[in-house]
């Protein structure tokens, strides 16, 4: 096989690669284009591991012009020699997972021995989904804008130590009682607090038995499996979902997701230690988007916003919601670097900026406080745009001069190298200055 610069690489991984453990982290509000980069890097990996979030994530991949949307299963599943893991930090909707498996099987993807689920991953029940939606409804104009997939209520139950985990599907003698206790609790909240219709327990019980039958063979100790790959010096890719600004602790609370989206969740969400990570690759879109509510200081409300949304196809691959668009915010990127110890960056969707007369970068704020982002006035650096197309360019030298200056300006402001640049939706539309798996 050859990479984009024509360099021959082999899958004799032990000899070729030094940085065997690469973590991919989104550094904005999600939707940075991680899916494509994970997919590309998977060619170099033996295993891909998801470690947080759930089917609130949505990765659109374009391979040979064919679109595939993955929500829960690592995109590594499209590469037949790669083993995929869903680790304990991920909340798993068995319903969504089985649907996704069926969909991929229809496209000829084989799962045989290639997908493993952690016994400790929390289960999303239909009653979690109902609670998520009921809460959003009650919040009205103050709603978070969740994906409505039951993610938040499931993480709450995990922390409250009343949730179900995949391991509970292995013992059908106790499953009925466990599901009944939890769903009765959810139904009490739905009926008496949110005053909406309860969920039929009978239906959940019979589906839970089906889940048990179908998923039990996939349930294992993922932490141990990952350790085994690492002991054999096999390259492992850890695939983050959402972005650092949606982190439950460090994001724009309360307009965040319910998991930790930063580097710490790799350790707790898989069961590995810090010395088992070699490279942290941050994914940064060339502009910023967010879905759902919450502050967004560099948000645009003019024709440039419309241009970015249109050129960048900025509507959710998962929920189909239109994304809010704005300029790249260097202050937030610097924060993401600090939170995640980012070693290098991939800049994505560069081609979306083609044709703009000027490009703004947020380099600072008038009031420096994280207390109320809504009140902060961004300070911009205004750079010239470029007339020519960057779409599909795969070679640094072929980029327009102003594009190179834009990228170099970002690098000088953040102090971390941009080693990969994505110039289009196709897997091959990439400029590789350095492969994060190679030292
Ligand atoms: P939840 O994760 O469904 O609870 O939603 C909480 C917030 O995170 C909402 O603003 C969602 O729009 C946002 N969110 C969750 N997953 C993603 C994602 O994959 N990309 C972008 N935003 C997301």
């Amino acid at each position: 096989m050859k990479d984009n610069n024509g360099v021959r690489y082999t899958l004799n991984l032990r000899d070729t690669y030094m940085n065997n453990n690469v973590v991919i982290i989104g550094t904005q509000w999600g939707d940075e284009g991680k899916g494509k980069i994970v997919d590309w890097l998977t060619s170099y990996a033996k295993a891909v591991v998801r470690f947080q979030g759930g089917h609130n994530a949505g990765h659109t991949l374009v391979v040979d012009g064919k679109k595939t949307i993955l929500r829960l299963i690592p995109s590594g599943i499209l590469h037949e020699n790669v083993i995929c893991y869903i680790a304990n930090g991920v909340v798993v909707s068995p319903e969504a997972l089985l649907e996704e498996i069926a969909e991929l099987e229809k496209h000829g993807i084989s799962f045989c021995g290639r997908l493993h689920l952690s016994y400790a991953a929390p289960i999303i029940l239909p009653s979690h989904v109902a609670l998520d939606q009921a809460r959003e409804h009650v919040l009205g104009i103050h709603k978070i804008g969740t994906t409505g997939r039951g993610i938040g209520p499931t993480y709450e139950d995990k922390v409250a130590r009343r949730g179900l985990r995949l391991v509970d599907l292995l013992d059908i003698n106790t499953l009925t009682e466990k599901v009944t206790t939890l769903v009765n609790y959810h139904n009490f909240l739905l009926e008496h607090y949110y005053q909406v219709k309860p969920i039929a327990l009978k239906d959940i019980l019979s589906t839970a038995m089906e889940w048990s039958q179908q998923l039990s063979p996939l349930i294992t100790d993922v932490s141990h499996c990952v350790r085994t790959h690492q002991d054999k010096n096999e390259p492992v890719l850890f695939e983050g979902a959402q972005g650092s600004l949606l982190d439950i602790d460090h994001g724009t609370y309360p307009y965040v997701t319910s998991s930790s989206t930063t580097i710490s969740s790799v350790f707790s969400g898989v069961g590995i230690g810090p010395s088992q990570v070699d490279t942290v690759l941050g994914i940064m879109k060339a502009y910023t988007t967010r879905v759902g509510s919450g502050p967004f200081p560099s948000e645009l409300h003019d024709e440039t916003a419309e241009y970015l949304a249109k050129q960048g196809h900025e509507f959710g691959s998962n929920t189909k919601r239109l994304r809010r668009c704005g300029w790249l915010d260097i202050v937030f990127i610097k924060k993401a670097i600090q939170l995640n110890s980012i070693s290098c960056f991939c800049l994505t969707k560069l081609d979306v900026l083609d044709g703009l007369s000027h490009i703004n970068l947020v380099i600072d704020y008038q009031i420096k406080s994280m207390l109320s982002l809504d009140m902060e006035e961004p300070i911009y650096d205004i750079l010239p745009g470029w007339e020519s197309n960057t779409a599909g360019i795969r070679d640094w030298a072929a980029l327009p001069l102003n594009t190179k200056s834009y990228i170099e300006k970002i690098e000088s402001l953040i102090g971390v190298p941009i080693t990969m640049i994505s110039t289009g939706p196709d897997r091959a539309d990439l400029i590789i200055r350095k492969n994060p798996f190679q030292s």
Side-chain angles (χ1 to χ4, degrees):
M1 257 195 278
K2 285 180 172 184
D3 72 10
N4 281 343
N5 292 326
V7 177
R8 190 165 283 282
Y9 65 88
T10 119
L11 286 181
N12 182 3
L13 306 159
R14 187 188 283 262
D15 301 332
T16 316
Y17 304 109
M18 298 293 285
N19 294 331
N20 277 337
N21 300 286
V22 174
V23 183
I24 295 211
I25 295 275
T27 58
Q28 291 151 314
W29 279 291
D31 306 317
E32 295 92 353
K34 294 180 288 294
K36 169 183 155 170
I37 309 308
V38 169
D39 181 48
W40 188 84
L41 280 170
T42 297
S43 320
Y44 298 84
K46 182 69 195 161
V48 182
V49 188
R50 267 208 59 187
F51 52 89
Q52 46 74 225
H55 65 307
N56 49 349
H59 287 163
T60 308
L61 303 168
V62 182
V63 184
D64 298 331
K66 205 177 89 188
K67 241 189 190 184
T68 309
I69 297 176
L70 297 175
R71 297 172 184 90
L72 199 51
I73 298 174
S75 44
I77 205 72
L78 303 179
H79 300 244
E80 59 182 336
N81 296 318
V82 172
I83 303 175
C84 295
Y85 295 98
I86 295 181
N88 61 282
V90 178
V91 283
V92 176
S93 157
E95 204 173 352
L97 178 63
L98 288 166
E99 259 173 39
E100 209 166 305
I101 291 175
E103 187 61 28
L104 287 167
E105 276 177 340
K106 258 203 287 184
H107 287 87
I109 308 288
S110 153
F111 280 84
C112 193
R114 296 183 50 224
L115 178 65
H116 303 282
L117 316 172
S118 166
Y119 69 89
I123 294 177
I124 303 180
L125 294 174
S127 46
H128 287 117
V129 177
L131 278 172
D132 192 356
Q133 293 173 0
R135 275 182 201 166
E136 285 285 273
H137 184 72
V138 164
L139 284 171
I141 57 159
H142 300 293
K143 72 177 181 191
I144 289 163
T146 72
T147 57
R149 304 277 153 100
I151 308 294
T154 307
Y155 276 116
E156 281 171 41
D157 279 353
K158 167 184 169 171
V159 175
R161 293 160 293 184
R162 63 174 165 250
L164 293 172
R165 309 197 297 171
L166 288 178
V167 67
D168 294 315
L169 296 180
L170 298 180
D171 183 358
I172 53 164
N173 295 321
T174 53
L175 185 59
T176 300
E177 192 195 328
K178 285 178 180 169
V179 172
T180 304
T181 307
L182 189 59
V183 174
N184 281 343
Y185 170 67
H186 291 164
N187 276 342
F188 180 83
L189 291 175
L190 287 168
E191 254 189 297
H192 302 292
Y193 187 78
Y194 294 106
Q195 298 181 347
V196 293
K197 251 176 69 182
I199 297 288
L201 172 64
K202 189 165 62 61
D203 295 348
I204 301 190
L205 284 174
S206 64
T207 347
M209 288 300 163
E210 284 167 31
W211 297 340
S212 166
Q213 236 178 16
Q214 292 172 277
L215 295 181
S216 289
L218 307 183
I219 298 169
T220 189
D221 180 347
V222 167
S223 168
H224 176 76
C225 298
V226 170
R227 185 75 225 192
T228 307
H229 288 294
Q230 293 180 319
D231 285 346
K232 289 195 262 179
N233 281 331
E234 291 175 341
V236 182
L237 188 61
F238 297 91
E239 174 181 350
Q242 288 86 43
S244 299
L245 299 172
L246 287 173
D247 185 272
I248 183 73
D249 289 293
H250 302 287
T252 45
Y253 191 92
Y255 302 102
V256 292
T257 191
S258 306
S259 63
S260 168
T261 58
T262 45
I263 189 73
S264 61
S265 61
V266 178
F267 311 122
S268 59
V270 180
I272 57 166
S275 64
Q276 286 158 266
V277 165
D278 301 307
T279 300
V280 184
L281 174 69
I283 311 295
M284 152 175 53
K285 186 147 66 178
Y287 51 99
T288 310
T289 58
R290 113 167 266 183
V291 276
S293 323
F296 182 175
S298 72
E299 183 171 11
L300 290 161
H301 300 279
D302 56 10
E303 64 278 7
T304 308
E306 280 167 33
Y307 184 82
L308 294 173
K310 187 156 175 267
Q311 296 297 110
H313 305 287
E314 294 298 353
F315 52 86
S317 50
N318 206 336
T319 57
K320 309 285 176 238
R321 289 182 291 177
L322 192 70
R323 296 176 187 145
R324 301 154 65 191
C325 295
W327 298 115
L328 178 59
D329 191 320
I330 295 296
V331 179
F332 286 157
I333 298 293
K334 283 182 176 167
K335 182 175 167 164
I337 293 169
Q338 187 216 323
L339 291 173
N340 298 292
S341 299
I342 288 172
S343 347
C344 49
F345 271 100
C346 175
L347 184 70
T348 59
K349 294 189 127 177
L350 178 68
D351 55 301
V352 172
L353 303 182
D354 289 356
L356 291 175
S357 60
H358 69 278
I359 296 163
N360 289 9
L361 280 178
V362 177
I363 50 161
D364 206 349
Y365 282 97
Q366 298 285 6
I367 309 160
K368 292 197 185 69
S369 147
M370 280 295 172
L371 289 180
S372 174
L373 274 176
D374 275 334
M375 306 291 290
E376 298 207 10
E377 200 48 50
I379 300 171
Y380 290 105
D381 209 351
I382 303 173
L383 305 173
W386 48 89
E387 295 301 320
S388 43
N389 268 350
T390 65
I393 289 184
R394 297 169 189 187
D395 185 6
W396 171 259
L399 286 175
L401 222 59
N402 283 355
T403 317
K404 288 184 190 161
S405 305
Y406 176 67
I407 296 167
E408 283 164 354
K409 176 75 186 184
I410 298 170
E411 280 183 316
S412 76
L413 288 168
I414 64 179
V416 175
I418 294 172
T419 51
M420 298 172 74
I421 299 153
S422 171
T423 56
D426 203 273
R427 189 191 262 172
D429 293 338
L430 270 175
I431 297 169
I432 309 296
R433 300 167 92 187
K434 189 175 175 295
N435 181 333
F437 271 118
Q438 291 165 338
S439 58

